[in-house]
């Protein structure tokens, strides 16, 4: 937030071109203001002073002691074969005990000169054990020349800020650069309205910047963080509130369903009653559709909660009112599947203009990139004449050639897979802005919904329709207990013998060139990480020849020809295939009620939300579902804890919280859509739920009274900095 000329000063003027270049390239910092907003990741305390007699293991400690003895040893090693290796051993004492310090290699020269017997100093480092004796390896030290207690206290208690750094620029160099520009913090213009700041007891911005970079106490850090979090939450919420305000001014055609039209006829055909949740959400949507400004609604529903049914009824209501509805799906498999299931649900109501079509019927067309030319021409014609009331497609719908007679509603399925530009292009196809319904099966915690989709009203479907079965989930530790894996394949056979089907999911396809980089270990102790992830083509072959011999096994992945994919899905849906070995193409929306078991190989390679999505493909019928998460990760690893969490609950909202706590929020804030660096440096979307909720209220009230922010120049400047070009477009297009 580069607020004033002093903060707009380019870093190369202040720090010199070489440092500025590294900061720009590796940290994205260009101005003094950027650098002031590069906050410490954490603070190292040089430890409260510790007595040598009670040193804790593996902790960072600071001791004041006297050098009793110092000896330089030579030794031979692989690096120094001719006995040229050097090791300095220093013994220190504080009267209560003794401690060994060691320095190696080139690091011995300075301490060898300075740490002479009788010298007093402070030593800071991590305590370890070597040859059953406590030692500090390469400790930081500060010689105490004047014996004043203050020096000891201030050095020991100092809070040393540690910055997000890069190999090219260590944290302490960043710290020095920040000390250089810190005086400019005085000129930072405050974006928060004074009444808000005082009402919430927040410190002024210049003071917060000083305290975050040069705290004297932990309370300083708390003050600064509380203030800087509010800035981020409030500026972002004001941006979103202004968008909601602007959208509310746009005109749209109100779409009210005809009293005895298509929707009524469809409801009469339904073989079941809608859940209470579906009825409630439908009422919210119909109320929005009946207004003369565009609906912007996010529909979150647990996997299998019946979102498609709610969306279909909204589309039928719009067709009833003389408009057209378009549904945008992220993959061809899913578009084809939606098309099939919607045509089935509508029956003769989907046969508009055909013999046998019902009187209120309309046409439902499919439009994907791989369609033949003749079918495509016909679909385009049906859209432009208004013959087709409903179109379902992939982003082929967005192309310039596609024209609508009167587009009234856009339904976007699985929002997180679409860039905002794509949603925007489709919305531009209407004569006036169409209504927008965004659906996601990835449960989004309330605060993320308020932050990322802050411009959308939110509806939640959290009841499962009657007849859905519970899914039992278990972690299968293949490395620790190989017999568990053998039992997993036995379970798959049992399901098939009982007339059911199963999925096996793998992270890779298996026909890629082997990328040497891919096989590199992420960390030496993770043996399981070293091998490339399991691949569909290999696993399918091994299963067909081995534990699942005699069953019909087919593969499905994203690089297959669309017709082949569709054929595989149809055979599986018809029950001709026992086991489908697939990549995550089945993650979203694939609906085969007879599939009751799923085995996810290398489950640790998938995110929490993705595992939850995948698991939602089983248990869609009346028989109970089973999901087995196979992993080679060791028991104590974070990956195993993550899988344990997925196995322990079917509550997607709970899992999405766990998922978010483990990832950085940057992933959540539309990175995929905007490509811009996350603007959140201090705010944690999950922990700071209250701040975000309060900021949203404050922002809405402020924008209601002063949409142009005429009285708040500081806030306008902060908004401009937040909404630089990229983010501006991202929010515009939301």
């Amino acid at each position: 937030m580069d607020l004033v000329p002093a903060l707009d000063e380019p870093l190369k003027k202040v720090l010199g071109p070489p440092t500025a270049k590294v900061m720009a390239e590796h940290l994205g910092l260009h101005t003094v203001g950027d650098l002031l907003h590069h906050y410490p990741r954490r603070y190292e305390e040089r430890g409260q002073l510790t007595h040598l007699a009670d040193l804790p293991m593996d902790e960072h400690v600071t001791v004041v002691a006297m050098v009793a003895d110092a000896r330089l040893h030579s030794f031979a090693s692989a690096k120094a074969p001719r006995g040229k290796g050097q090791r300095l051993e220093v013994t220190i004492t504080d009267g209560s005990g003794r401690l060994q310090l060691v320095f190696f290699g080139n690091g011995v020269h300075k301490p060898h000169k300075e740490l002479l017997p009788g010298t007093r100093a402070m030593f800071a480092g991590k305590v370890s054990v070597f040859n059953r004796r406590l030692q500090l390896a390469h400790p930081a030290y500060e010689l105490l020349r004047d014996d004043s207690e203050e020096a000891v206290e201030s050095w020991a208690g100092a809070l040393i800020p540690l910055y997000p750094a890069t190999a090219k620029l260590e944290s302490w160099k960043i710290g020095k650069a920040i000390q250089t520009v810190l005086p400019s913090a005085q000129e930072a213009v405050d974006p928060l309205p004074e009444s808000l700041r005082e009402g919430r007891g927040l410190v002024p911005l210049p003071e917060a910047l000083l305290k975050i970079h040069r705290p004297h106490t932990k309370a300083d850090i708390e003050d600064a963080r509380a203030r800087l979090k509010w800035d981020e939450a409030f500026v972002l919420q004001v941006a979103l509130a202004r968008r909601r305000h602007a959208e509310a001014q746009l005109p749209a055609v109100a779409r009210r369903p005809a009293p005895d039209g298509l929707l009524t006829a469809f409801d009469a055909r339904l073989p079941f009653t809608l859940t209470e949740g579906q009825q409630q959400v439908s009422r919210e949507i119909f109320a929005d559709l009946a207004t003369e400004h565009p609906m912007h609604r996010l529909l979150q529903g647990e996997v299998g909660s019946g979102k498609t049914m709610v969306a279909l009824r909204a589309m039928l209501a719009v067709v009833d009112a003389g408009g057209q509805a378009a549904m945008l799906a992220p993959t061809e498999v899913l578009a084809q599947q939606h098309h099939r299931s919607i045509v089935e649900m509508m029956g003769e109501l989907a046969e508009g203009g055909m013999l046998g079509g019902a009187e209120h019927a309309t046409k439902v067309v499919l439009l994907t990139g791989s369609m033949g030319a003749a079918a495509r021409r016909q679909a385009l014609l049906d859209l432009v004449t208004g013959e087709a009331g409903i179109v379902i497609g992939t982003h082929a719908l967005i192309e310039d050639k596609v024209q609508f007679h009167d587009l009234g509603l856009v339904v976007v399925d699985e929002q997180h897979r679409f860039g905002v530009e794509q949603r925007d292009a489709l919305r531009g196809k209407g004569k006036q802005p169409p209504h927008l319904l965004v659906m996601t099966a990835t449960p989004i915690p309330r605060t993320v919904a308020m932050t990322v989709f802050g411009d959308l009203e939110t509806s939640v479907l959290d009841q499962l329709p009657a007849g859905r079965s519970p899914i039992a989930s278990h972690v299968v530790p293949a490395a620790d207990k190989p017999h568990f894996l053998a039992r997993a394949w036995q379970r798959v056979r049992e399901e098939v013998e009982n007339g059911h089907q199963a999925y096996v999911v793998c992270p890779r396809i298996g026909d890629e060139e082997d990328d040497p980089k891919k096989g590199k270990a992420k960390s030496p102790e993770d043996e399981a990480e070293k091998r490339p992830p399991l691949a569909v083509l290999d696993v399918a072959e091994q299963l067909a020849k081995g534990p699942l011999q005699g069953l019909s096994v087919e593969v499905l992945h994203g690089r297959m020809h669309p017709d082949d994919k569709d054929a595989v899905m149809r055979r599986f849906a018809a029950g001709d295939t026992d086991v489908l070995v697939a990549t995550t193409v089945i993650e979203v929306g694939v609906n085969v009620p007879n599939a009751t078991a799923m085995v996810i190989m290398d489950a640790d390679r998938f995110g929490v939300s993705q595992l939850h999505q995948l698991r939602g493909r089983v248990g869609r019928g009346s028989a109970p579902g089973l999901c087995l998460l196979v992993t080679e990760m060791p028991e104590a690893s974070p990956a195993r804890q993550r899988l344990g969490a997925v196995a322990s609950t079917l509550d997607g909202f709970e899992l999405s919280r766990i998922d978010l706590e483990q990832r950085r929020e940057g992933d959540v804030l539309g990175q995929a859509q905007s490509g811009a660096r996350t603007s959140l440096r201090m705010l944690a979307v999950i922990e700071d739920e209250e701040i975000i909720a309060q900021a949203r209220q404050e922002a809405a009230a402020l924008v209601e009274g002063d949409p142009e922010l005429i009285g708040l120049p500081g806030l306008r400047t902060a908004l401009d900095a937040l909404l630089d070009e990229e983010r501006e477009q991202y929010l515009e297009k939301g």
Side-chain angles (χ1 to χ4, degrees):
M1 296 177 196
D2 327 335
L3 303 176
V4 293
L7 301 197
D8 283 339
E9 187 89 19
L11 286 173
K12 59 171 177 275
K13 279 192 172 170
V14 189
L15 303 174
T19 310
K21 185 169 185 249
V22 176
M23 287 196 170
E25 283 175 12
H26 295 274
L27 297 168
L29 307 174
H30 304 279
T31 63
V32 168
D34 290 345
L35 183 54
L36 284 174
H37 287 285
H38 186 72
Y39 307 132
R41 178 176 285 138
R42 59 193 174 88
Y43 300 85
E44 193 61 81
E45 288 182 84
R46 289 212 174 95
Q48 278 30 63
L49 294 178
T50 314
H51 284 295
L52 292 184
D54 32 63
L55 282 179
M57 275 300 297
D58 272 342
E59 273 188 33
H60 208 88
V61 299
T62 302
V63 294
V64 174
M66 195 160 78
V67 177
D69 180 40
R71 296 172 186 212
L72 195 58
H73 300 272
S74 300
F75 61 93
S77 71
K79 283 186 180 162
R82 290 199 296 276
K84 290 278 173 62
Q86 290 196 310
R87 181 174 78 242
L88 175 66
E89 290 178 3
V90 177
T91 308
I92 59 172
T93 176
D94 68 349
S96 74
R98 295 169 83 83
L99 181 65
Q100 180 105 30
L101 315 178
V102 286
F103 300 88
F104 293 99
N106 293 336
V108 304
H109 305 307
K110 188 166 175 268
H112 189 223
K113 281 209 291 277
E114 295 183 339
L115 297 178
L116 306 171
T119 310
R120 257 183 107 235
M122 264 181 292
F123 303 92
K126 205 171 184 185
V127 185
S128 55
V129 172
F130 181 71
N131 280 346
R132 291 195 297 208
R133 284 164 60 192
L134 293 183
Q135 71 167 29
L136 292 181
H138 283 282
Y141 63 86
E142 182 95 335
L143 301 180
L144 294 175
R145 297 204 166 79
D146 55 342
D147 255 1
S148 71
E149 284 304 304
E150 287 93 271
V152 174
E153 283 308 313
S154 68
W155 196 85
L159 290 161
I160 305 158
L162 294 183
Y163 290 93
T166 74
K168 296 263 193 295
L169 203 60
E170 298 91 342
S171 167
W172 59 269
K173 285 188 182 157
I174 296 172
K176 280 194 170 154
I178 285 177
Q179 295 300 351
T180 310
V181 301
L182 207 48
S184 308
Q186 292 305 332
E187 304 194 30
V189 176
D190 207 320
L192 293 191
E194 204 167 323
S195 56
L196 186 155
R197 200 183 74 223
E198 288 175 358
R200 304 226 168 239
L202 299 169
V203 301
L205 184 57
E207 186 183 329
L209 290 171
L210 281 172
K211 283 183 167 175
I212 201 81
H213 291 299
R214 204 186 258 171
H216 294 299
T217 62
K218 287 189 174 159
D220 284 353
I221 300 171
E222 287 312 305
D223 286 353
R225 282 192 168 148
R227 163 60 215 243
L228 296 166
K229 281 179 175 184
W230 251 96
D231 278 16
E232 288 177 6
F234 184 69
V235 173
L236 187 60
Q237 291 301 338
V238 168
L240 293 165
R242 288 182 74 187
R243 261 199 73 198
R244 286 196 300 277
H245 187 271
E247 299 279 9
Q249 318 301 316
L250 288 177
V253 180
R255 311 277 179 175
R256 295 182 185 84
D260 285 315
L262 186 56
L263 181 62
T264 314
F266 174 76
D267 283 349
R269 285 182 50 96
L270 284 181
F272 51 82
T273 50
L274 298 174
T275 66
E276 216 167 291
Q278 286 175 313
Q279 291 175 14
Q280 171 57 32
V281 170
S282 290
R283 283 194 291 273
E284 291 170 0
I285 291 173
F286 291 153
D288 284 357
L289 290 174
T291 60
E292 295 193 345
H293 58 83
M295 161 170 85
H296 280 103
R297 190 166 281 281
L298 172 69
L299 173 55
Q300 295 190 54
E302 270 294 9
V303 179
S305 57
K307 292 184 300 297
T308 311
M309 173 59 73
V310 170
L312 175 56
R313 292 184 72 242
M315 295 198 286
L316 295 174
V318 168
V319 175
D320 248 355
Q324 290 169 295
M327 184 180 220
L328 195 54
T331 63
E332 294 209 355
V333 169
L334 195 54
Q336 286 161 341
Q337 176 146 345
H338 274 321
H339 182 252
R340 259 201 308 275
S341 64
I342 283 174
V343 169
E344 272 165 29
M345 285 195 274
M346 287 175 64
E348 74 263 20
L349 295 175
E351 295 167 1
M354 299 183 223
L355 278 172
E359 70 166 306
H360 297 297
T362 184
K363 218 170 175 184
V364 180
V365 300
L366 176 70
L367 190 62
T368 63
S370 62
M371 281 168 80
R376 188 179 168 79
R377 255 199 315 276
Q378 185 58 51
L380 291 173
L381 189 66
D382 287 341
L383 285 178
V384 76
T385 58
E387 189 77 18
I390 295 178
V391 57
I392 293 147
T394 55
H395 42 256
L397 277 178
I398 295 167
E399 290 173 11
D400 292 344
K401 294 193 199 81
V402 182
Q403 290 180 347
F404 290 85
H405 176 65
D406 178 13
L407 180 61
L409 171 66
V410 174
V411 179
V412 179
D413 192 21
E414 285 311 323
Q415 194 285 333
H416 63 286
R417 290 157 175 260
F418 282 104
V420 271
E421 287 79 10
Q422 293 165 305
R423 270 196 302 184
D424 197 48
L426 189 52
R427 271 175 31 191
K429 302 266 182 198
K431 298 189 172 63
Q432 283 195 316
H435 298 281
L436 175 71
L437 179 65
V438 172
M439 301 199 296
T440 177
T442 309
I444 304 169
R446 184 172 139 256
T447 43
V448 179
M450 287 193 297
T451 312
V452 185
F453 303 109
D455 56 319
L456 301 176
E457 298 300 326
T458 307
S459 297
V460 178
L461 270 180
D462 47 12
Q463 278 172 300
L464 289 189
R468 276 304 172 86
S469 309
I471 305 169
S473 308
H474 304 284
V475 178
V476 177
D480 314 352
K481 299 181 175 155
H483 59 286
F484 277 31
L485 184 58
R487 175 75 186 112
W489 300 126
Q490 220 174 322
R491 281 291 288 114
V492 170
R493 293 194 84 97
E494 288 165 17
E495 289 298 313
V496 173
E497 281 158 19
N498 291 332
H500 297 300
Q501 293 158 279
Y503 296 100
V504 177
V505 181
C506 305
R508 271 193 326 144
I509 296 174
D511 57 1
E512 311 87 343
E513 291 292 302
D514 276 333
D515 180 347
K517 288 205 283 290
K518 288 257 169 68
K520 274 196 187 165
K522 290 209 171 71
S523 62
E525 62 269 25
D526 288 347
E527 279 304 309
E529 283 277 322
K530 280 196 180 164
R531 60 168 179 71
L534 291 170
V536 166
L537 301 176
D538 310 340
V539 169
E541 190 182 347
Q542 289 160 12
L543 290 176
K545 289 181 179 165
L548 302 185
Q549 203 171 2
L551 303 185
S552 70
V553 177
E554 287 212 63
V555 300
L556 178 69
H557 58 75
R559 283 218 286 277
M560 287 163 62
H561 187 278
D563 294 349
D564 298 341
K565 275 194 265 195
D566 200 38
V568 169
M569 268 323 295
R570 278 175 193 272
R571 285 196 292 274
F572 189 64
D576 302 340
T577 308
D578 298 323
V579 179
L580 185 62
V581 182
T583 55
T584 54
V585 288
I586 62 156
E587 172 190 357
V588 176
V590 172
N591 186 20
V592 180
N594 191 43
T596 51
M598 174 177 286
V599 181
I600 302 179
M601 307 303 291
D602 277 343
D604 47 90
R605 309 278 176 121
F606 298 98
V608 170
S609 296
Q610 204 172 22
L611 291 169
H612 182 58
Q613 286 282 341
L614 286 165
R615 168 170 66 184
R617 303 296 117 223
V618 295
R620 299 179 79 85
S622 51
L626 172 69
C627 177
L628 301 173
L629 306 167
V630 180
T631 176
E632 292 188 359
M633 294 310 249
E635 196 162 354
S637 61
R640 275 284 282 281
Q641 288 165 359
R642 210 169 58 227
L643 296 179
V646 174
S648 69
T649 176
L650 290 171
D651 178 343
F653 285 93
E654 181 52 36
L655 288 173
S656 67
R657 285 189 77 95
I658 293 169
D659 192 16
L660 253 184
E661 280 161 8
Q662 295 189 334
R663 297 186 312 164
R664 269 197 43 252
E665 277 82 13
D667 306 348
V668 184
L669 286 186
Q671 288 300 82
Q673 294 148 334
S674 70
R677 244 171 66 238
T678 170
S679 57
L680 297 195
R681 307 191 184 153
M682 193 53 84
L683 199 66
V685 174
I686 288 287
E687 289 160 34
D688 299 321
E689 191 160 347
E690 270 175 41
I691 296 181
I692 293 171
Q694 292 166 2
R696 184 180 166 108
Q697 280 178 329
E698 295 265 12
L702 179 85
V703 169
E704 200 53 48
D706 178 7
E708 293 305 309
L709 310 178
I710 291 162
L712 296 163
L715 179 55
R716 282 212 309 274
T717 318
L719 269 177
D720 294 343
L722 169 73
L723 307 178
D724 53 35
E725 286 296 290
E726 273 180 292
R727 289 197 65 89
E728 179 73 70
Q729 289 170 2
Y730 164 53
L731 280 172
E732 279 302 307
K733 292 179 178 171

